[in-house]
Amino acid sequence: MTAPETGDGRVGSRIQNYTTYWQNDGEQDDKTGTENRVENYTDVVNGYYDGATDLYEFGWSRSFHFCRFYKGEGFTAALARHEHYLSAQMKLKPGMRVLDVGCGVGGPALQIARFADVTIVGLNNNDFQIGRARRYTQKAELQDKVTFVKGDFMKLVEKFGENSFDAVYAIEATVHAPSWEGVYGEIKNVLKPGGIFGMYEWCMTDEWDPSIPSHQELARRIELGNGIPEMRALSKARAALLAVGFEIEHEEDLAERQDEIPWYYPLEGDIFKAQTTWDYITVWRMSWSGKVVTHYGLWLVEKLGLVPKGTWQVGETLKIAGDAVVEGGKTKLFTPMYLAICRKPGRV
């Protein structure tokens, strides 16, 4: 294993090598690009987040996910409501021990811990993000409610043991797994009998047809720009949940709600669509002028050695991601919010 090269958990070589996992896509090799990414998912995902975490926090927030919007609703308020909504759908109650699978820098964990008065363990395989999450939790004085551990979500039983949690949630995280059956099976096994699992999953919708070149290319751009080994159809997520033995109590693609404000609007970069005064800054960062500033600003700070080498290149993939996600939203070929509330069979 390569040692950290930055002192804060980021590995420079992982960041620099990130885009190489997509360079040979389409070539007729013994092992396709997708197979290579799936096999090396840990390096793919960590290389991406080593380079992208600072950019996410700068351009988005500490909650690395999408959400629905109501007319006039502020950006950060909508993100928090999305987290609270999942908690409410799961019926989280005070005293529960809850696992956050793929916790990022801890934004949702802090919100849900406050909202539901539960104890949360955040799991992350990225040292840099864990360090950030612990600092933010200490600042929020929630160390007694929220803790973070390093671990692979494909090895949850090895990490925690069976029947360890009352509830588990994953917010736009398990799309990074090499297989849904694998990660969902691990989640089911660490749940107590009768325990609840709630998730927002990234999927290509069932309107997506991988045999259509433009559809396949859209999925590839989403993968490249978001550190995802392989995009899969929503029907496969549902099938995987059932295959590992979950009982689905509720499921819905929230992107199908007839909202006046689309979930992807911040990425369109149209400042006239900003919902509040404070949101102008967030939306501007996604505009053409905001991207130009970020492009040259990030190039400069990398040249000055203020961020690891390769960060600029990962930042360039984020532009690809933004455009692809908006296209996927408008064409209804992609959703970041397939909601599923599932229960492990057995007595509660």
Side-chain angles (χ1 to χ4, degrees), residues 55 58 289-307 311-312 316 319:
L55 303 176
F58 167 76
S289 59
K291 290 177 180 178
V292 168
V293 170
T294 302
H295 173 89
Y296 288 106
L298 187 58
W299 178 86
L300 178 60
V301 297
E302 182 175 312
K303 289 297 183 182
L304 293 173
L306 301 177
V307 297
T311 301
W312 177 84
E316 292 300 285
K319 297 178 185 177

Side-chain angles (χ1 to χ4, degrees), residues 58-179:
F58 167 76
W60 201 254
S61 76
R62 294 176 185 171
S63 292
F64 301 166
H65 61 79
F66 291 101
C67 65
R68 296 174 58 223
F69 294 95
Y70 287 113
K71 186 70 174 179
E73 184 177 32
F75 179 71
T76 56
L79 290 173
R81 180 175 55 78
H82 196 62
E83 295 156 5
H84 297 168
Y85 184 76
L86 179 64
S87 173
Q89 291 290 307
M90 294 172 65
K91 297 181 173 59
L92 298 184
K93 298 177 181 178
M96 280 186 168
R97 185 172 188 245
V98 181
L99 177 65
D100 179 338
V101 174
C103 61
V105 297
L110 298 182
Q111 280 287 343
I112 292 174
R114 289 189 181 107
F115 179 77
D117 194 20
V118 294
T119 299
I120 297 178
V121 177
L123 179 87
N124 196 321
N125 209 21
N126 185 273
D127 289 301
F128 181 56
Q129 289 193 341
I130 290 174
R132 290 287 186 92
R134 286 172 176 161
R135 287 198 296 274
Y136 297 146
T137 301
Q138 184 174 11
K139 185 176 180 180
E141 298 184 352
L142 285 173
Q143 306 96 306
D144 60 330
K145 302 291 290 186
V146 183
T147 57
F148 299 94
V149 298
K150 183 177 181 180
D152 185 342
F153 54 23
M154 302 301 288
K155 301 176 181 178
L156 295 179
V157 173
E158 179 181 318
K159 186 73 178 182
F160 300 109
E162 294 188 356
N163 308 322
S164 299
F165 293 94
D166 301 296
V168 179
Y169 67 83
I171 299 178
E172 301 183 21
T174 47
V175 67
H176 294 293
S179 78

Side-chain angles (χ1 to χ4, degrees), residues 315-337:
E316 292 300 285
T317 70
L318 287 177
K319 297 178 185 177
I320 296 172
D323 292 342
V325 163
V326 171
E327 180 182 338
K330 289 181 175 180
T331 58
K332 303 292 186 180
L333 295 176
F334 163 76
T335 177
M337 53 184 77

